[in-house]
Amino acid sequence: MAQLKVAALAGGVGGAKLADGLAQILPPGSLTVIVNTGDDFEHLGLRICPDVDTVCYTLAGIANPATGWGRADETWQAMETLGALGGPTWFRLGDRDLGVHLERTRRLRMGHPLSRITRDFCRSWGIQHTVIPMSDDFVPTWVYTNEGELGFQEYFVHRQCHPQVTGFRFEGIENARPAPGVVEALRAANLVILCPSNPWVSIGPILAVPGIRQAIEEPRKAVVAVSPIIGGQAIKGPAAKMYRELGIEPTALAVARHYGSLLSGFVIDTVDASQSGEIQAAGVQTLSTAAVMKTRADRARLAGEVVEFGRRLAVQG
Ligand code: FO1
């Protein structure tokens, strides 16, 4: 097809890396990144949007390369002062990062929608591609564990994912609406990519926003997921641990089954190539390649392979 239109669903660090790869190879106007906001929470009186910030910082080239989240060249004076006064420092907020949360919170309090704030921040950061939060409604993820229900960041950062997970709740998701531009981008896309983010708490919330899954399932588009599980492990984060605690062996096949009928294609790492047959038996075509992204060049290479794979599937119809 002439002009390929891609919509990519992304969560945290892994999703941001592939989004960066896609942004390196696709012209602005051909790529919309739809970002999970289930990780968002109110902390120190501020609205923190970790996955939106991780995607934007990564696309702007200002992300902390060591952690993947937060800013590069960061300083920690505010956190030091807060800690010295007995405040909570378990969620590390650098001085530059704090400036973003202050301005976002200020504008949210004025009634500006998160999607408009994000668009303006992208402009300020020189990001050419379109980044849209999945919804302008606040739909924080809660994690059911053997120690009770925990807010996502309480589970993920404060408790370092130790509690045993038994389920999730996306608060208010049934009344949430896709942010302006999300359904339009999905409808216009001939390729939808589910980035290698946590299927439970990064991609799951996006698909749970009423209207989003339906827009993806409309005909004449290819839907390709990139497995976040490689060799039974997640590259980063608790995805494999969550599968195990929910009674599912963490494999690429398990992820393909998790996304089910949504998928036309599934990208797995070569270490999992032996699972291709079972995945194809489920009606999903597979691409086996080097799926670990260590460098920015890796991100662009993998993105190129995913786009070519998706283009072939889209042509097949
Ligand atoms: N993750 C951590 O493991 N420890 C932190 O102190 C931390 C702070 C933080 C601040 C801003 C931000 O945007 C992300 C931050 N993250 C931190 C990562 C965050 O918890 C995850 O990136 C997402 O919620 C899941 O991908």
Side-chain angles (χ1 to χ4, degrees), residues 11-13 36 39-40 48-51 53-54 57 69-70 89-94 97 101 152-153 156-157 202:
V13 175
N36 169 46
D39 295 7
D40 297 5
I48 315 282
C49 303
D51 284 359
D53 289 344
T54 298
Y57 288 163
W69 50 263
T89 56
W90 58 270
F91 195 80
R92 312 291 305 151
L93 291 165
D97 199 29
H101 309 313
F152 180 80
Q153 297 301 341
F156 186 87
V157 177
S202 295

Coordinates of all heavy atoms in Angstrom, one line a residue, residues 11-13 36 39-40 48-51 53-54 57 69-70 89-94 97 101 152-153 156-157 202, ligand 1:
G11 N 3.5 0.9 26.6 CA 3.5 1.1 28.1 C 4.8 1.7 28.5 O 5.3 2.6 27.9
G12 N 5.5 1.0 29.4 CA 6.7 1.5 30.0 C 7.9 1.4 29.1 O 7.8 1.6 27.9
V13 N 9.0 1.0 29.7 CA 10.3 1.2 29.1 C 10.4 0.3 27.8 O 10.8 0.9 26.7 CB 11.4 0.7 30.1 CG1 12.8 0.7 29.4 CG2 11.4 1.6 31.3
N36 N -0.4 3.9 27.6 CA -1.1 3.5 28.9 C -1.0 4.6 29.9 O 0.0 5.2 30.1 CB -0.3 2.2 29.4 CG -0.8 1.8 30.8 OD1 -2.0 1.8 31.1 ND2 0.1 1.6 31.7
D39 N -0.8 3.4 35.0 CA 0.2 3.5 36.0 C 0.2 4.9 36.7 O 0.9 5.1 37.6 CB 1.6 3.4 35.4 CG 1.9 2.0 34.8 OD1 0.9 1.2 34.8 OD2 3.0 1.8 34.3
D40 N -0.7 5.8 36.2 CA -0.7 7.2 36.7 C -1.2 7.1 38.2 O -2.0 6.3 38.5 CB -1.7 8.0 35.9 CG -1.2 8.2 34.4 OD1 -0.2 7.5 34.1 OD2 -1.8 8.9 33.7
I48 N 1.3 12.0 38.5 CA 2.4 11.5 37.8 C 1.9 10.5 36.7 O 1.1 9.7 37.0 CB 3.3 10.6 38.8 CG1 3.5 11.4 40.2 CG2 4.6 10.2 38.2 CD1 4.5 12.5 40.2
C49 N 2.5 10.7 35.5 CA 2.1 9.8 34.4 C 3.3 9.1 33.8 O 3.9 9.5 32.8 CB 1.4 10.7 33.3 SG 0.0 11.6 33.9
P50 N 3.8 8.0 34.5 CA 5.0 7.4 34.2 C 5.2 6.9 32.7 O 6.2 7.2 32.1 CB 5.1 6.2 35.1 CG 4.2 6.6 36.3 CD 3.1 7.4 35.6
D51 N 4.2 6.3 32.2 CA 4.4 5.7 30.9 C 4.3 6.8 29.8 O 5.1 6.8 28.8 CB 3.3 4.6 30.6 CG 3.6 3.3 31.3 OD1 4.7 3.3 32.0 OD2 2.9 2.4 31.1
D53 N 5.3 9.9 30.3 CA 6.6 10.5 30.4 C 7.8 9.7 29.8 O 8.7 10.2 29.1 CB 6.9 10.9 31.8 CG 6.0 12.1 32.3 OD1 5.4 12.7 31.4 OD2 5.9 12.3 33.5
T54 N 7.7 8.4 30.1 CA 8.8 7.5 29.6 C 8.8 7.5 28.0 O 9.8 7.6 27.4 CB 8.6 6.1 30.1 OG1 8.7 6.1 31.5 CG2 9.6 5.1 29.6
Y57 N 9.9 11.2 26.9 CA 11.3 11.4 27.2 C 12.2 10.6 26.2 O 13.2 11.0 25.7 CB 11.7 11.0 28.6 CG 11.2 11.9 29.7 CD1 11.2 11.4 31.0 CD2 10.8 13.2 29.5 CE1 10.7 12.3 32.1 CE2 10.3 14.0 30.5 CZ 10.3 13.5 31.8 OH 9.9 14.3 32.8
W69 N 13.4 5.2 32.6 CA 12.4 6.2 33.1 C 13.1 7.4 33.7 O 14.3 7.4 33.9 CB 11.4 5.5 34.1 CG 12.1 4.9 35.3 CD1 12.4 3.5 35.4 CD2 12.7 5.5 36.5 NE1 13.1 3.3 36.6 CE2 13.2 4.5 37.3 CE3 12.7 6.8 36.9 CZ2 13.9 4.7 38.5 CZ3 13.3 7.1 38.1 CH2 13.9 6.1 38.9
G70 N 12.3 8.5 33.8 CA 12.9 9.7 34.4 C 13.8 10.3 33.3 O 14.0 9.8 32.2
T89 N 10.3 9.3 50.0 CA 11.2 9.4 48.9 C 11.3 8.1 48.1 O 12.2 7.9 47.3 CB 12.7 9.8 49.4 OG1 13.0 8.8 50.4 CG2 12.7 11.1 50.1
W90 N 10.4 7.2 48.4 CA 10.5 5.8 47.8 C 10.2 5.9 46.3 O 10.8 5.1 45.5 CB 9.5 4.8 48.4 CG 8.0 5.3 48.3 CD1 7.4 6.0 49.3 CD2 7.1 5.0 47.3 NE1 6.1 6.2 48.9 CE2 5.9 5.6 47.7 CE3 7.1 4.3 46.1 CZ2 4.7 5.5 46.9 CZ3 6.0 4.2 45.3 CH2 4.8 4.8 45.7
F91 N 9.5 7.0 45.8 CA 9.3 7.2 44.4 C 10.2 8.3 44.0 O 9.9 9.5 44.4 CB 7.8 7.5 44.1 CG 7.4 7.3 42.7 CD1 7.1 6.1 42.1 CD2 7.3 8.5 41.8 CE1 6.8 6.0 40.8 CE2 7.0 8.3 40.5 CZ 6.7 7.1 40.0
R92 N 11.2 8.0 43.3 CA 12.3 8.9 43.0 C 11.9 10.0 41.9 O 11.7 9.6 40.8 CB 13.6 8.2 42.5 CG 14.0 7.0 43.3 CD 14.5 7.4 44.7 NE 15.6 8.3 44.6 CZ 15.8 9.3 45.5 NH1 15.1 9.3 46.6 NH2 16.8 10.1 45.4
L93 N 11.8 11.2 42.4 CA 11.4 12.3 41.4 C 12.5 13.3 41.3 O 12.8 14.0 42.3 CB 10.1 12.9 41.9 CG 8.9 12.0 41.9 CD1 7.8 12.6 42.7 CD2 8.5 11.8 40.4
G94 N 13.2 13.3 40.2 CA 14.3 14.2 40.0 C 13.8 15.7 39.8 O 12.6 15.9 39.5
D97 N 12.4 16.3 36.3 CA 11.1 15.5 36.2 C 10.0 16.2 37.0 O 8.9 16.3 36.5 CB 11.4 14.1 36.8 CG 10.3 13.1 36.3 OD1 9.8 13.2 35.2 OD2 10.1 12.2 37.1
H101 N 5.9 17.4 36.3 CA 4.7 17.0 37.1 C 4.0 18.3 37.6 O 2.8 18.4 37.7 CB 5.1 16.1 38.2 CG 5.9 14.9 37.8 ND1 5.6 14.2 36.7 CD2 7.1 14.4 38.2 CE1 6.5 13.2 36.5 NE2 7.4 13.4 37.4
F152 N -0.9 0.7 41.8 CA 0.1 0.2 40.9 C 1.5 0.5 41.4 O 2.4 -0.3 41.5 CB -0.1 0.6 39.5 CG 1.0 0.0 38.6 CD1 0.9 -1.4 38.2 CD2 2.1 0.7 38.2 CE1 1.9 -2.0 37.4 CE2 3.1 0.1 37.5 CZ 3.0 -1.2 37.1
Q153 N 1.8 1.8 41.6 CA 3.2 2.2 42.0 C 3.6 1.7 43.4 O 4.7 1.5 43.6 CB 3.3 3.8 41.9 CG 3.1 4.3 40.5 CD 4.1 3.8 39.4 OE1 5.1 3.2 39.8 NE2 3.7 3.9 38.2
F156 N 4.5 -1.7 42.4 CA 5.7 -1.9 41.5 C 6.9 -1.3 42.1 O 8.0 -1.9 42.0 CB 5.3 -1.1 40.2 CG 6.3 -1.3 39.0 CD1 6.2 -2.3 38.2 CD2 7.3 -0.3 38.9 CE1 7.1 -2.5 37.1 CE2 8.2 -0.5 37.8 CZ 8.1 -1.5 37.0
V157 N 6.9 -0.1 42.7 CA 8.1 0.6 43.2 C 8.3 0.4 44.7 O 9.3 -0.1 45.1 CB 8.0 2.1 42.8 CG1 9.3 2.8 43.4 CG2 7.9 2.3 41.3
S202 N 0.1 -2.9 31.1 CA 0.4 -1.8 30.2 C -0.5 -1.9 29.0 O -1.1 -0.9 28.6 CB 1.9 -1.9 29.8 OG 2.7 -1.7 30.9
Ligands
FO1_1 N1 10.5 3.1 38.9 C1 11.2 2.6 40.0 O1 11.5 1.4 40.0 N2 11.6 3.4 41.0 C2 11.3 4.7 41.0 O2 11.7 5.4 42.0 C3 10.6 5.3 39.9 C4 10.4 6.6 39.8 C5 9.8 7.1 38.6 C6 9.5 8.5 38.5 C7 8.9 9.0 37.3 C8 8.5 8.1 36.3 O3 8.0 8.6 35.2 C9 8.7 6.7 36.5 C10 9.4 6.2 37.6 N3 9.6 4.9 37.8 C11 10.3 4.4 38.9 C12 9.2 3.9 36.8 C13 7.7 3.6 36.8 O4 7.3 3.1 38.1 C14 7.4 2.6 35.7 O5 8.1 3.1 34.6 C15 6.0 2.5 35.2 O6 5.1 2.8 36.0 C16 5.9 1.0 34.7 O7 6.4 0.9 33.4

